[in-house]
C-alpha cells in the first residue's frame, strides 16, 4: 500500500538559467503532487558536500560541487502518494541520454552533468527526510490541503 509522503526536489543551476523552473513546477503540480515548501537560494560549499556526501571521492565529485554551487537553485518539498518514487519516474534516468522522452531529463537534458533536476533517491531509505531537513526547517514547511485532493485520491 503506497503512502503519502514528502520528498525533496531541486531545480539545479542549469534549470534555473534555462528558465525551466516553471516547467518543472507545472509538471509536478499537474500530476497532483502538493508543494509544501520552496526556497530560491544559492548552495554553499558545506551544504553541497553534505547533500552529495555519498559521492565524495568519485571522479566527478569536485565538478558536481562546483556546478551545484555556481548559481541559484530552487529547493522544494513536494507531498503526495508515493511521492519520492513518482518524482524519480517523472525525472527519468540520471543520464539524460538514457531518459525516455516525456521525462524531465529526457525532454530538457543532453548531458549527464547538466541534468536539470534533483530528486531524493527512492531506493535509499530515509533519503527524502534527510534531504528535506538539510534544506528546510520544520517551520518552513506548510501543512495544507489542496482543493482537488478529494478528486486525486480514492
Ligand atoms: P541522481 O541525480 O539521478 O540521483 P546520482 O545521485 O547518482 O544521480 O548522482 C548525482 C549527480 O551527480 C547526478 O545528477 C549527476 C552527477 N553525476 C552522477 N554520475 C556522474 C558521472 N559519472 N559523471 C558526471 N556526473 C555524474
Ligand atoms: Mg541521487
Amino acid at each position: 500500500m503506497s503512502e503519502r509522503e514528502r520528498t525533496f526536489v531541486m531545480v539545479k543551476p542549469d534549470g534555473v538559467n534555462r528558465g525551466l523552473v516553471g516547467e518543472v513546477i507545472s509538471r509536478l503540480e499537474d500530476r497532483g503532487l502538493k508543494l509544501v515548501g520552496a526556497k530560491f537560494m544559492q548552495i554553499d560549499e558545506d551544504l553541497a558536500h553534505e547533500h552529495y556526501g555519498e559521492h565524495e571521492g568519485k571522479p566527478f565529485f569536485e565538478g558536481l560541487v562546483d556546478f551545484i554551487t555556481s548559481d541559484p537553485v530552487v529547493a522544494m518539498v513536494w507531498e503526495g502518494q508515493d511521492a519520492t518514487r513518482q518524482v524519480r519516474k517523472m525525472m527519468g534516468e540520471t543520464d539524460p541520454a538514457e531518459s525516455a522522452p516525456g521525462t524531465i531529463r529526457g525532454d530538457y537534458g543532453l548531458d549527464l552533468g547538466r541534468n536539470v533536476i534533483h530528486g531524493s533517491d527512492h531506493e535509499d531509505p530515509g533519503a527524502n527526510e534527510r534531504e528535506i531537513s538539510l534544506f528546510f526547517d520544520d517551520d518552513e514547511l506548510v501543512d495544507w490541503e489542496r482543493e482537488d485532493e478529494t478528486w486525486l485520491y480514492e
Side-chain angles (χ1 to χ4, degrees):
M1 179 65 185
S2 299
E3 299 210 354
R4 291 192 211 177
E5 62 175 18
R6 289 177 171 179
T7 194
F8 178 70
V9 177
M10 175 167 67
V11 182
K12 297 183 182 181
D14 53 337
V16 171
N17 276 281
R18 293 176 56 208
L20 295 172
V21 173
E23 178 65 34
V24 168
I25 290 176
S26 267
R27 286 181 180 222
L28 300 178
E29 269 188 321
D30 288 352
R31 185 76 193 278
L33 292 163
K34 177 166 68 180
L35 185 63
V36 297
K39 211 181 262 191
F40 184 72
M41 60 182 283
Q42 190 151 359
I43 296 180
D44 65 24
E45 192 96 359
D46 286 348
L47 181 56
H49 277 253
E50 272 199 86
H51 176 64
Y52 281 128
E54 64 176 305
H55 299 301
E56 207 144 5
K58 295 181 185 170
F60 61 85
F61 182 70
E62 289 309 325
L64 178 60
V65 169
D66 285 349
F67 163 60
I68 210 70
T69 58
S70 66
D71 248 349
V73 301
V74 178
M76 296 175 281
V77 179
W78 288 85
E79 185 182 296
Q81 186 164 286
D82 212 7
T84 310
R85 194 170 66 89
Q86 297 302 352
V87 168
R88 290 294 303 202
K89 288 182 101 154
M90 293 171 77
M91 284 166 51
E93 302 299 320
T94 300
D95 188 349
E98 303 299 326
S99 300
T103 64
I104 293 167
R105 287 167 169 174
D107 285 348
Y108 297 108
L110 289 167
D111 191 89
L112 173 55
R114 298 290 183 269
N115 59 11
V116 182
I117 182 171
H118 168 86
S120 301
D121 187 350
H122 69 288
E123 289 175 342
D124 180 1
N128 54 344
E129 294 298 332
R130 192 170 65 246
E131 293 178 350
I132 289 168
S133 60
L134 206 50
F135 282 83
F136 290 90
D137 294 328
D138 284 348
D139 64 4
E140 292 175 315
L141 303 176
V142 181
D143 288 315
W144 67 293
E145 208 166 305
R146 253 179 80 146
E147 196 61 36
D148 55 5
E149 252 164 70
T150 48
W151 299 102
L152 280 163
Y153 296 105
E154 192 177 344

